[in-house]
Amino acid sequence: MIYPLTKFRRHRRRWEILFVSFLLFGFSNGFAQQDFKPKLGYIDRESLETAFYSADSTAEAVVLYDYGNLRFSYDENKGIVMLMDSWVRIKILKESALSRASVALTYYDGSVRVKEEQIYNLKGYTYNLDNNQIVTSELDKKSIKNEKFSDEYRTTKFNLPNVKKGSVIEYSYTRSTPLSLRTEPNTWRFQGDVPYKWSEYRITIPYFLEYKMTMGGYLPLHINKQEQINVDVGFSQYNGQGLSYRFVVKDAPAFLNEPFITTEMDYLSLIRFELASIAVPGQGTRRFSQTWDQVDRTLDQATWFGGELRKSSYLKEIRDKINTTAKSPEEKMNMAYVYIQKYMKWDGYNGVGSKEGVRRAYDNKKGNASDINLSLITLLRELDLDCNPVVLSTRSHGRLIQEIPMLENFDYVIGHVKMGENEYFLDATQSYAKPGMLPEQVLNGWGRLLPKKGDGKFIELVSKDIKSKLEMINAEIDLDEGLVKGTYSISYGGYEALNWRTEYNDIPESQYQDDLKGYLQEWQIKNLVIKNKNDDLKGTVNVKCDFELEDDNLQEGGFYLNPVMAGRWGSNPLKSKERIYPLNFNSGLSHSYVANFKLPEGYALEETPTPEIVSLVAKAGRFAYMVQQNGNMITVNSNVTLTKTNFSAEEYHDVKEFFERVVQRHSKPLVIRKKTN
């Protein structure tokens, strides 16, 4: 969702700040009642006396103050430069955090002098309590080292002195960056891997620069202030009005890489910048901000994207062969997909465009995702199918923000085929995916469809496939030998099948057997048979084996039996007490378990467990568990399904409790007793 915060006009110029959030973002206009302005080189006693952080007892350190102030200035040699004042104050709570006193600041120092960065005004302090007295140790300038990092970059390194558990450290510096080197300020993060008590970012933008600023994350602003001021950049021609912003996030928790997220940049509270235009007096206006139509046009005109889609001669032979063989449009699509899938091997790299040309990749039978899928799209078009590219952002690249038209949003391309009322997404990078099955890394919300004619549009990336697994046990309990023995079978479907085939299809079966033994550590496995490794990619991978399991618990008269011997949910994947981030599953899932146990003669369940059904609202998930006895046979059925892939933070506790019920049921043993006459 986009939130316009302010617009300021002068000489037809405009400043605009846009806030993007994935939950309803809370704003606080003007100064909040509580403000915080420490003084560099001085520390309060309370910060030194604090032994742990009450809001997070596991934290190894706490950032007490993280401050950035960005302003623009004129340099007669370099032109307009960005000056970034940085100041960090950290409380060391555990010895594992001592490394935070070793700092390395990398900056550009290449051959182009007008683009060189500088770091100066570096100061540092360490504070300790010694005999109940505050002792301040200042960073010795002689200990600061400047080292060559690469051909174009150098690093300023320093170690703050006398740091130990309980210390407070701080350092500050200014970085000068010419606009000719980088036009946008760096992204500012209000969160990190430890808690932040106070994170503050200030920026003053002169009238001749226009930036779009976007904020992401799930933490509210404690202070959100903007005001019109006069800006002096050190050169009268550039002086004038501007806007000053101040943003503060208070008491930010440590960002934990929790399960079921995309990439941390989709969840961290931060602010990003995009240069929209520059209007230097006497030099006219240069506009950089784009519309989606402009992005579409750029892709169509790019030699490495649209240009490649207009080259097809290398595919004529296979086109003619498919046209001769196929009897329907769908058969054409499937044959083209399978051909490219088997002919070209994915090199593991993503990409929107081809680096060295699709024809070269085709001849080499190997290329990146763009090489492969642009070849597929071209072939399908040659077969007179309505096929177009869809550019997207993979899960590791971050969520696509539709409100910000930028080519950099994308890092991948797939094909889209429209056939009557049916639509198909196609990605031929996966050697063992069936037609229409997208890799899980691609399932990241939305992509942009670029038709051969007409306007581009956003299209939701929805997969019909899920993670499907069925495990079955047929066994008998032998009290004389103290064994549970029988057969075990497992069927992998959907993404479970794709993952299995990707990992095991091209290696000896013995490797899978070793991994299966690791999964079922106490079992003795033999007579392993695997069917449909890759004969029918639409079908399941089927594994079957015989097994024996020694169980010292099998005693005459009565014993305990945990009936979920495979596929058991041993722990809840959701462990945090609270969560402010949504849950994002790659795909739906269906995990089923069926077991039949033949009991020794004269034995029966002491008590049949009550069947249990747990459902999430709106049929988003369901867990069903039931145990039955018929004669000396016990049958156990467990099924866990999730049909919804995205849950809000408000739904977190419901999903966590859902998983917890599964774990509890799967861990509960059955009591088997010898029947008395």
Side-chain angles (χ1 to χ4, degrees):
M1 187 176 296
I2 289 281
Y3 296 88
L5 181 62
T6 183
K7 294 183 180 179
F8 171 62
R9 295 182 181 272
R10 180 180 183 272
H11 302 303
R12 297 183 180 179
R13 305 299 301 132
R14 178 169 61 89
W15 289 258
E16 182 177 38
I17 182 164
L18 304 175
F19 282 81
V20 180
S21 69
F22 308 118
L23 291 177
L24 183 60
F25 201 96
F27 290 104
S28 143
N29 287 315
F31 280 102
Q33 291 183 351
Q34 298 180 9
D35 206 347
F36 182 50
K37 295 181 179 179
K39 186 176 181 180
L40 182 67
Y42 296 88
I43 193 65
D44 60 286
R45 178 173 290 272
E46 182 182 355
S47 294
L48 284 172
E49 290 177 341
T50 300
F52 67 96
Y53 185 51
S54 59
D56 183 358
S57 60
T58 66
E60 67 171 21
V62 176
V63 176
L64 301 175
Y65 191 62
D66 188 25
Y67 174 85
N69 179 28
L70 190 133
R71 61 199 194 281
F72 294 84
S73 181
Y74 179 78
D75 183 288
E76 61 181 15
N77 295 315
K78 300 177 181 178
I80 299 296
V81 297
M82 294 183 287
L83 299 179
M84 178 64 169
D85 300 320
S86 297
W87 175 8
V88 182
R89 178 178 287 182
I90 305 172
K91 170 70 177 184
I92 305 297
L93 296 172
K94 298 180 181 180
E95 291 185 357
S96 58
L98 294 178
S99 60
R100 295 176 185 270
S102 298
V103 183
L105 307 171
T106 301
Y107 59 96
Y108 179 80
D109 187 45
S111 58
V112 184
R113 295 189 62 83
V114 295
K115 293 185 177 182
E116 287 180 351
E117 289 186 292
Q118 289 180 302
I119 289 179
Y120 56 94
N121 288 342
L122 177 58
K123 299 176 182 179
Y125 303 90
T126 301
Y127 308 98
N128 289 297
L129 274 180
D130 189 2
N131 294 323
N132 206 33
Q133 298 296 314
I134 296 177
V135 178
T136 301
S137 302
E138 187 172 357
L139 175 66
D140 186 351
K141 302 294 184 182
K142 296 180 181 179
S143 66
I144 301 173
K145 299 179 180 179
N146 288 290
E147 300 177 356
K148 191 176 182 63
F149 182 76
S150 68
D151 290 341
E152 295 187 330
Y153 287 88
R154 295 185 67 84
T155 301
T156 296
K157 293 183 177 181
F158 59 92
N159 294 307
L160 293 165
N162 304 324
V163 180
K164 57 188 176 181
K165 179 182 176 181
S167 299
V168 172
I169 60 174
E170 71 176 345
Y171 56 91
S172 68
Y173 62 94
T174 298
R175 180 191 296 265
S176 171
T177 304
L179 224 61
S180 58
L181 173 66
R182 189 173 63 250
T183 56
E184 286 101 0
N186 286 329
T187 296
W188 178 266
R189 301 185 184 190
F190 295 96
Q191 281 181 282
D193 59 350
V194 296
Y196 279 44
K197 285 286 293 178
W198 188 278
S199 182
E200 177 172 339
Y201 184 77
R202 297 182 181 223
I203 183 170
T204 300
I205 304 176
Y207 74 94
F208 55 85
L209 293 174
E210 179 185 358
Y211 283 97
K212 288 182 179 178
M213 296 188 281
T214 60
M215 178 169 279
Y218 298 85
L219 300 177
L221 286 172
H222 178 66
I223 294 176
N224 171 12
K225 183 184 180 184
Q226 55 280 327
E227 60 179 338
Q228 180 180 331
I229 64 171
N230 289 320
V231 179
D232 184 348
V233 298
F235 188 61
S236 59
Q237 187 179 2
Y238 295 155
N239 295 339
Q241 288 188 323
L243 277 180
S244 175
Y245 299 92
R246 185 185 182 204
F247 307 111
V248 174
V249 170
K250 181 183 176 185
D251 297 326
F255 180 81
L256 302 176
N257 195 8
E258 299 190 66
F260 309 121
I261 66 172
T262 51
T263 183
E264 67 175 29
M265 292 300 285
D266 284 342
Y267 301 86
L268 280 169
S269 287
L270 50 78
I271 187 165
R272 297 185 181 95
F273 301 85
E274 179 197 357
L275 180 62
S277 67
I278 298 177
V280 177
Q283 298 182 21
T285 300
R286 294 175 60 197
R287 298 195 177 278
F288 301 92
S289 184
Q290 301 185 86
T291 65
W292 280 118
D293 287 341
Q294 290 172 322
V295 173
D296 298 345
R297 194 157 49 249
T298 298
L299 282 167
D300 181 63
Q301 295 172 356
T303 56
W304 41 264
F305 189 86
E308 295 292 349
L309 289 171
R310 288 184 276 275
K311 300 174 183 177
S312 60
S313 60
Y314 65 101
L315 295 168
K316 287 183 178 180
E317 184 177 345
I318 185 61
R319 176 203 64 190
D320 294 341
K321 183 177 180 180
I322 293 174
N323 272 329
T324 302
T325 307
K327 296 180 176 58
S328 67
E330 188 169 357
E331 192 173 357
K332 286 183 180 182
M333 180 186 73
N334 290 337
M335 289 181 68
Y337 174 86
V338 171
Y339 173 78
I340 295 294
Q341 179 189 42
K342 294 185 179 301
Y343 186 82
M344 298 183 71
K345 182 176 177 60
W346 183 42
D347 63 10
Y349 290 96
N350 297 337
V352 174
S354 175
K355 287 187 177 180
E356 299 181 355
V358 170
R359 174 63 186 266
R360 183 171 182 176
Y362 182 84
D363 290 342
N364 292 333
K365 300 183 179 181
K366 186 176 184 179
N368 67 15
S370 177
D371 292 321
I372 293 172
N373 287 328
L374 290 180
S375 292
L376 175 61
I377 295 165
T378 303
L379 177 56
L380 291 168
R381 285 179 169 181
E382 284 291 295
L383 293 167
D384 297 323
L385 296 179
D386 182 8
C387 182
N388 294 294
V390 175
V391 289
L392 55 90
S393 176
T394 58
R395 294 175 68 86
S396 61
H397 188 252
R399 186 178 285 108
L400 173 62
I401 303 175
Q402 298 182 27
E403 294 82 3
I404 307 176
M406 289 178 63
L407 185 59
E408 290 75 12
N409 278 315
F410 307 116
D411 73 328
Y412 206 88
V413 59
I414 60 174
H416 173 271
V417 174
K418 184 101 167 48
M419 217 178 280
E421 296 298 317
N422 297 320
E423 296 183 65
Y424 303 88
F425 291 115
L426 297 175
D427 182 340
T429 63
Q430 308 299 301
S431 299
Y432 302 108
K434 63 185 180 182
M437 187 179 196
L438 292 177
E440 289 184 273
Q441 67 154 342
V442 167
L443 301 176
N444 194 26
W446 296 78
R448 187 159 180 85
L449 177 68
L450 306 175
K452 200 171 185 179
K453 295 182 180 179
D455 298 330
K457 65 177 182 179
F458 291 104
I459 186 168
E460 190 172 9
L461 302 172
V462 179
S463 175
K464 298 177 181 178
D465 294 285
I466 63 173
K467 291 186 177 76
S468 176
K469 186 164 61 174
L470 169 62
E471 296 178 84
M472 299 185 68
I473 286 177
N474 287 290
E476 63 176 315
I477 298 170
D478 189 330
L479 289 180
D480 294 334
E481 297 186 24
L483 295 174
V484 179
K485 54 187 178 181
T487 62
Y488 167 65
S489 63
I490 181 168
S491 294
Y492 300 96
Y495 286 108
E496 292 281 5
L498 176 59
N499 294 338
W500 190 97
R501 288 176 171 129
T502 301
E503 185 170 0
Y504 294 110
N505 197 80
D506 298 325
I507 60 177
E509 289 186 3
S510 58
Q511 180 60 57
Y512 174 71
Q513 183 163 330
D514 290 342
D515 290 349
L516 189 61
K517 288 179 179 178
Y519 167 55
L520 303 166
Q521 296 182 7
E522 298 177 356
W523 292 27
Q524 296 295 319
I525 294 175
K526 57 184 179 181
N527 302 327
L528 179 71
V529 177
I530 303 174
K531 293 183 178 180
N532 194 27
K533 292 180 69 174
N534 63 7
D535 298 329
D536 176 14
L537 297 182
K538 295 181 180 180
T540 59
V541 177
N542 301 306
V543 178
K544 189 173 183 179
C545 65
D546 297 327
F547 77 94
E548 289 186 355
L549 169 64
E550 291 187 13
D551 190 344
D552 295 335
N553 179 58
L554 299 177
Q555 303 292 329
E556 293 283 348
F559 53 88
Y560 293 99
L561 173 69
N562 191 323
V564 186
M565 299 178 63
R568 183 186 307 167
W569 287 51
S571 63
N572 192 334
L574 303 179
K575 302 186 185 302
S576 299
K577 291 182 180 179
E578 301 293 336
R579 178 161 168 156
I580 63 174
Y581 314 114
L583 292 159
N584 183 284
F585 297 87
N586 292 3
S587 63
L589 66 85
S590 175
H591 286 182
S592 297
Y593 172 82
V594 179
N596 296 295
F597 297 100
K598 183 179 180 181
L599 300 179
E601 289 295 331
Y603 284 78
L605 282 169
E606 182 178 67
E607 182 180 357
T608 302
T610 303
E612 182 167 12
I613 296 178
V614 182
S615 298
L616 292 170
V617 296
K619 298 181 180 179
R622 187 175 186 269
F623 168 53
Y625 183 87
M626 183 172 63
V627 178
Q628 295 176 303
Q629 180 169 358
N630 185 9
N632 66 337
M633 294 296 298
I634 293 176
T635 300
V636 181
N637 283 276
S638 171
N639 181 250
V640 182
T641 59
L642 275 183
T643 56
K644 184 177 176 180
T645 57
N646 293 288
F647 295 87
S648 68
E650 289 77 11
E651 297 173 296
Y652 171 73
H653 288 289
D654 292 337
V655 181
K656 182 181 180 182
E657 176 61 23
F658 175 82
F659 288 158
E660 193 61 35
R661 297 284 285 274
V662 178
V663 172
Q664 290 173 1
R665 271 294 191 172
H666 280 195
S667 64
K668 192 171 184 179
L670 302 176
V671 181
I672 311 296
R673 298 289 187 192
K674 189 172 185 178
K675 292 184 289 187
T676 58
N677 295 328

